[in-house]
Amino acid sequence: MDSIVPRLARPYDPAAIDAAFRKEGAVVLTGAYPGEECDTYVAEVQKYLAENPDEAEYAANSVLAQFQGDTSVTLHQLIGAVPSAADMVLHRDIVGAARRLLKPLSDTILLIIAEYMGRKPGAPR
């Protein structure tokens, strides 16, 4: 695969978001979340892991974990487990894109999963 996931900056052009999804299957919305919101999310994930250490092991055995190396960690299904996850998933540009792209198939959308992907020390940038 020679393609690169497009990166779009604010203000996001809905047509560019839609085109990236259709052509590449993904798009990166740079600057979508303020740094403080990201810091809060990471702190909540770290607290969740400290209180539920078995969740990291559970995620490590998932099908998705096959695609990551020893220097990364992924957690799944964080809505309901991490307080700020729902607001991040319901970002207006993400919801708008989901509604536009799924409109031919459905009148409604259901965004229910939040993921956490973190690099451990030694991971390449």
Side-chain angles (χ1 to χ4, degrees):
M1 176 189 261
D2 295 331
S3 62
I4 296 174
V5 174
R7 299 175 66 85
L8 303 178
R10 284 184 179 264
Y12 309 118
D13 175 7
I17 292 173
D18 297 356
F21 272 123
R22 286 191 179 94
K23 183 175 182 213
E24 303 298 339
V27 63
V28 174
L29 301 179
T30 61
Y33 304 102
E36 304 81 36
E37 189 172 359
C38 294
D39 292 344
T40 298
Y41 178 72
V42 170
E44 290 173 355
V45 167
Q46 290 171 344
K47 180 177 185 275
Y48 177 73
L49 279 175
E51 294 170 353
N52 303 277
D54 56 319
E55 289 299 318
E57 182 64 28
Y58 178 79
N61 292 317
S62 72
V63 172
L64 293 175
Q66 296 175 43
F67 301 102
Q68 52 187 66
D70 294 335
T71 57
S72 61
V73 62
T74 301
L75 295 174
H76 315 298
Q77 303 174 5
L78 294 176
I79 290 184
V82 175
S84 63
D87 286 340
M88 293 182 89
V89 169
L90 295 175
H91 186 287
R92 66 180 177 83
D93 293 301
I94 294 170
V95 170
R99 285 180 175 154
R100 289 189 308 277
L101 292 166
L102 294 174
K103 184 66 177 163
L105 304 172
S106 177
D107 289 332
T108 60
I109 61 165
L110 180 61
L111 300 173
I112 59 169
I113 296 177
E115 302 281 323
Y116 169 81
M117 297 180 78
R119 289 189 298 250
K120 296 178 182 175
R125 286 207 169 275

